[in-house]
Amino acid sequence: MTTPPDDDLFAASRGEPADGSADGLDAHRPPLAVRMRPASLEEVRGQRDVLRQGSPLRRLIEGHGGAAGPLSAILWGPPGTGKTTLAHLVAQAAGRRFVELSAVTAGVKDVRRVMDEAARERDLYGRQTVLFLDEIHRFTKAQQDALLPGVENRLVVLVAATTENPSFSIIAPLLSRSMLVTLTSLDDDDLDEVLTSALNEKRGLAGEFTLDDEARAHVIRISGGDARRALTALEAAAGVALDAQPPGGEDRPVTITLAQVEQAVAHAAVRYDRAGDQHYDVASALIKSMRGSDVDAALHYLALMLEAGEDPRFIARRIVIAASEDVGMADPTALQTAVAAMHAVAQIGMPEARIILAQAVVHNSIAPKSNASYAAINAAIADVRAGRGGPVPAHLRGSGYAGADRLGHGKGYRYTHDEPDGVGPQQFLPDDLLHDADYYHPTGRGWEERLATRWAAVRTIIRGEGPRGNR
């Protein structure tokens, strides 16, 4: 009995069209990104550091034995950097059985089933099981706990993939039993090689298409170091180019132009995870860019957060904090702008809120900077936590209750508004801090420059001494 050509069950896994056609866009074929998945270490692009000769991951992939034995691995990196590919390469080592689970759909029952099957494979056939768990950060603590016995006893070699920082998303006992492999985004040269292979290889587009230089540069740029995104964009653009061919046109190869790439891919998808470490990384970059007075960088990170769907109220709160922490009294109006923006954003919402947030970001970025108030309160708190600061001086204590006069509260207090200059000599600090407290050091920037002169004069009147200079 022969199998009809259109019923070849193995064609899809080989990336070949079931009918034997050479059309790189055959509807029955797997996506280009799947067909171009590296089948060996030599085909892997990027990740040179973690795949160097003798590295733990390379030894795991090559199936080395010895006293050390195979270690479970957690692969952490952005999308499209090869996590799934590397997991499949680990499974190719001789004598290994490969099981794949997705944390999106799997539960504790599935994990235990895999462990039971792994024990049977080991005991009956002497085969080791590789468990690939995609998106492990989606597993709850209880689900991750279920992995521990199998990993600890090496019943399975766990290869887990995550796009989120494992320090936040994976339990410590599992981290301590695995090696953490950090993958990085592919550089432009790596992506260029990925595109070239996809255009030329039989399992890819088989030489049926060429890519203009401008189109190639655009695909690389919008891919953001993600090989899967580059291949998806290429396949979509190839479809547009094919549709643009005149009826009956047989010209090969078909040239893919920049306009066709732009038509296929409207814009680059924003790489940002609001629930993970990128949420904090981009927010940190926004704050540091405002602090560093780079308006363009600050607006870029603001745009990134907004396009990713970040809550504009969260952004507004961070801007308010930065206005006080980093601008402070060098430009007190920055805080007014930020607070006004926070209230306006809550009332208006997106998309108009982007304009208000942009104004606050620009104000914070352009304003002169001073963290003198921030440093001052931290220094004062440090003294309080160290137990410094005795009783409040008697003349400053409240005198509006029965018995206060008898205790001497308020006696000798000098009412500031009665002083000729609105300020007069008087002790305000507790005795043990009278000559040591030196918290506020105005900068010479912006409006605070005038405060420095005034504070020197006021301190001389109050304590008979001036500020002690900048720290």
Side-chain angles (χ1 to χ4, degrees):
M1 178 178 177
T2 59
T3 304
D6 60 350
D7 196 30
D8 186 350
L9 299 178
F10 301 98
S13 64
R14 292 196 302 266
E16 301 172 0
D19 61 1
S21 70
D23 188 349
L25 297 179
D26 187 276
H28 299 289
R29 303 184 77 183
L32 181 61
V34 174
R35 304 200 308 267
M36 293 306 301
R37 176 167 289 155
S40 66
L41 271 174
E42 290 69 29
E43 294 182 3
V44 175
R45 301 289 184 263
Q47 317 311 334
R48 296 172 185 83
D49 288 341
V50 299
L51 291 176
R52 66 187 183 279
Q53 199 66 39
S55 68
L57 181 58
R58 190 179 186 100
R59 287 177 56 81
L60 179 61
I61 291 173
E62 292 176 344
H64 291 295
L71 294 172
S72 291
I74 296 173
L75 308 179
W76 171 37
T81 51
K83 297 184 293 295
T84 304
T85 292
L86 293 173
H88 280 271
L89 292 179
V90 169
Q92 289 180 8
R96 287 178 179 166
R97 171 174 170 267
F98 185 74
V99 179
E100 183 173 355
L101 293 179
S102 172
V104 176
T105 56
V108 172
K109 184 182 296 185
D110 299 293
V111 172
R112 289 174 177 163
R113 174 179 54 78
V114 170
M115 297 301 173
D116 291 342
E117 293 173 353
R120 185 166 58 253
E121 289 288 325
R122 181 196 60 187
D123 296 341
L124 295 180
Y125 307 109
R127 284 200 301 177
Q128 191 170 52
T129 297
V130 174
L131 170 59
F132 174 53
L133 183 58
D134 200 12
E135 299 191 81
I136 188 175
H137 56 270
R138 294 180 181 269
F139 257 16
T140 64
K141 181 180 182 297
Q143 290 170 318
Q144 293 184 35
D145 281 338
L147 294 166
L148 288 176
V151 172
E152 186 168 27
N153 298 323
R154 203 170 283 166
L155 184 60
V156 297
V157 175
L158 174 67
V159 181
T162 178
T163 56
E164 296 191 5
N165 191 329
S167 299
F168 300 135
S169 57
I170 298 177
I171 59 175
L174 193 55
L175 278 175
S176 68
R177 290 165 173 80
S178 311
M179 60 176 175
L180 177 60
V181 180
T182 303
L183 306 181
T184 57
S185 298
L186 276 65
D187 62 27
D188 289 356
D189 291 338
D190 293 329
L191 289 173
D192 187 73
E193 292 180 13
V194 168
L195 293 174
T196 299
S197 297
L199 286 164
N200 297 331
E201 291 187 18
K202 183 178 179 181
R203 59 177 168 158
L205 299 181
E208 296 286 313
F209 299 86
T210 61
L211 195 59
D212 273 357
D213 289 343
E214 286 186 339
R216 181 184 289 261
H218 186 63
V219 171
I220 291 173
R221 184 168 59 252
I222 66 174
S223 299
D226 184 332
R228 187 186 299 111
R229 187 185 300 169
L231 292 171
T232 301
L234 174 62
E235 188 171 27
V240 173
L242 204 58
D243 290 344
Q245 290 291 100
E250 297 295 334
D251 292 340
R252 288 293 189 272
V254 177
T255 299
I256 303 172
T257 66
L258 173 60
Q260 289 163 344
V261 171
E262 290 176 334
Q263 182 180 345
V265 185
H267 59 82
V270 177
R271 177 179 295 166
Y272 185 94
D273 186 350
R274 285 178 289 161
D277 56 302
Q278 290 171 330
H279 164 84
Y280 300 102
D281 289 346
V282 179
S284 175
L286 169 63
I287 292 166
K288 289 171 181 172
S289 297
M290 289 190 294
R291 180 184 299 150
S293 300
D294 191 326
V295 181
D296 292 334
L299 288 171
H300 166 75
Y301 293 118
L302 172 63
L304 180 58
M305 296 172 83
L306 292 174
E307 284 295 293
E310 183 63 81
D311 186 345
R313 295 170 298 179
F314 166 79
I315 301 173
R317 290 194 295 269
R318 303 310 303 174
I319 295 172
V320 169
I321 295 169
S324 191
E325 177 181 344
D326 294 320
V327 177
M329 292 304 295
D331 182 359
T333 63
L335 181 58
Q336 297 172 15
T337 300
V339 172
M342 180 175 65
H343 291 301
V345 165
Q347 296 297 320
I348 294 173
M350 291 293 287
E352 290 81 2
R354 77 190 190 283
I355 307 167
I356 300 161
L357 290 171
Q359 179 180 344
V361 163
V362 169
H363 192 157
N364 256 15
S365 300
I366 289 294
K369 304 299 189 293
S370 170
N371 71 340
S373 300
Y374 175 52
I377 186 59
N378 286 346
I381 288 173
D383 272 352
V384 170
R385 289 177 177 173
R388 303 193 66 197
V392 174
H395 61 281
L396 298 183
R397 298 181 192 179
S399 56
Y401 58 91
D405 288 342
R406 179 173 54 82
L407 295 172
H409 292 185
K411 185 177 180 180
Y413 172 66
R414 299 178 62 162
Y415 187 52
T416 294
H417 297 288
D418 289 340
E419 299 293 336
D421 296 318
V423 63
Q426 187 161 213
Q427 179 180 342
F428 291 97
L429 284 162
D431 290 343
D432 65 330
L433 291 176
L434 182 58
H435 300 294
D436 295 329
D438 187 23
Y439 305 139
Y440 181 52
H441 291 254
T443 67
R445 297 184 288 274
W447 195 72
E448 201 166 38
E449 182 179 9
R450 288 175 284 176
L451 294 182
T453 303
R454 174 163 174 76
W455 175 225
V458 166
R459 180 167 176 148
T460 299
I461 295 172
I462 294 173
R463 304 189 206 174
E465 58 183 26
R468 302 181 186 183
N470 293 329
R471 296 174 186 171

